[in-house]
Amino acid sequence: KRFAAILLTGILCVAAAIPAFAEVKTNAAFWAVSSMEYAYENGIVTETELQKATSPMSRKEFCGVVMGFLESVTGVERKATIATPFSDCDDPIVIAAYEAGVIGGVEPGRFAPDQTLTREQMAIMIARTLKICNLDLTEDEKKNPFTDTKTLYASSNQYIDQLYGAEIVNGYDDGTYGPFREMTVQEAIISFVRAHRYIMTGMAYDPNAATEEERKEPTAPAVKAESETVKV
């Protein structure tokens, strides 16, 4: 279930490449410091992200986290081999994420790289990334109990159900998920750290961490998705 062969290969390949956290600092809130350190030590984020923990997480920046995650787990650095499919972004990391099948754009030919990542988009991208890592989340899929996901399309709900069942994402004390809420760097990293721990150990990083950090900021008002096929 946890693809032991790939895991062993990934650990052996990246063991020598994992950076030492040493004295590098982060501006993350106290509840996110350990997650940011873990992400840095495992090559998921750069030193730049450590200093932008409280800033909005852009869609382009999250692609960098995705590709760092994939390299950390598999030991393979994925690079773009095609021309950009987007009119508004030619970043090679974004193109590599597109080639890997993690993103598709907000509409044909447009990626909106500077838009802030939403919780719905995060769930889609994390679930797709884990699938690329040969992790079958359908084994853990569990219908989410959130009161504000019923209007989402089936594709988005399935991804949220999978991550909820694996305890990689959860919701707020009021029973909502906040799918259209914009995320900060530290919030997005906490979910990816959970996913990384889930792969490495078969257990979620901390079932209570996301709930605690999500209390720190208000939920953004929900906005109905515009298309049946949600693109990210």
Side-chain angles (χ1 to χ4, degrees), residues 152-156 224-231:
L152 298 179
Y153 297 113
S155 55
S156 292
K224 185 71 173 64
E226 295 181 354
S227 61
E228 178 66 29
T229 302
V230 177
K231 294 184 178 293

Side-chain angles (χ1 to χ4, degrees), residues 31-135:
W31 41 266
V33 169
S34 62
S35 291
M36 294 297 293
E37 291 178 352
Y38 178 95
Y40 179 72
E41 290 167 353
N42 285 278
I44 300 172
V45 299
T46 65
E47 188 171 340
T48 299
E49 271 108 39
L50 289 176
Q51 302 306 320
K52 297 175 63 177
T54 59
S55 301
M57 170 66 88
S58 73
R59 288 164 48 80
K60 181 174 73 173
E61 289 170 330
F62 198 63
C63 283
V65 176
V66 166
M67 302 315 289
F69 181 95
L70 284 173
E71 184 175 354
S72 175
V73 171
T74 67
V76 177
E77 182 182 6
R78 295 170 181 258
K79 295 185 177 181
T81 63
I82 62 173
T84 180
F86 305 117
S87 62
D88 60 349
C89 183
D90 60 359
D91 187 281
I93 293 179
V94 172
I95 301 169
Y98 172 82
E99 282 193 79
V102 176
I103 62 168
V106 296
E107 59 186 50
R110 193 169 77 89
F111 178 65
D114 298 323
Q115 282 186 8
T116 303
L117 183 79
T118 67
R119 284 171 54 80
E120 179 188 23
Q121 293 169 350
M122 177 199 69
I124 293 171
M125 293 171 75
I126 289 180
R128 287 177 177 173
T129 301
L130 293 179
K131 184 175 181 180
I132 293 169
C133 294
N134 293 327
L135 183 61

